[in-house]
């Protein structure tokens, strides 16, 4: 499935999404697409090699959305 298929499906199903990439710009772009479709989404950088980056990302999810399922 392509992003053009998955993104509308996720929005339609009510998903709240945290889009990540090594750099913030691509992630924020996809999150903006989701919001334009009516979804709840944020984007940000995440270098999965670093534990501190994970911790920061999870704190942001908690601050923005209240919890992680």
């Amino acid at each position: 499935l392509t992003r053009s298929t998955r993104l509308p499906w996720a929005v339609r199903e009510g998903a709240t999404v945290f889009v990540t990439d090594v750099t913030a710009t691509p992630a924020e772009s996809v999150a903006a697409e989701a919001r334009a479709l009516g979804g709840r989404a944020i984007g940000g950088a995440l270098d999965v090699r670093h534990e501190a980056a994970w911790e920061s990302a999870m704190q942001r999810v908690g601050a923005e959305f209240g919890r992680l399922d």
Side-chain angles (χ1 to χ4, degrees), residues 22-59:
V22 174
T23 58
T25 302
E28 290 168 353
S29 176
V30 173
E33 288 179 46
R35 289 190 302 272
L37 293 169
R40 289 184 65 200
I42 57 173
L46 174 61
D47 185 338
V48 299
R49 298 172 297 172
H50 303 287
E51 186 174 346
W54 279 103
E55 291 171 5
S56 177
M58 295 303 98
Q59 287 175 356

Side-chain angles (χ1 to χ4, degrees), residues 11-23:
V11 169
R12 187 174 55 250
E13 293 299 316
T16 299
V17 181
F18 181 30
V19 182
T20 63
D21 199 329
V22 174
T23 58

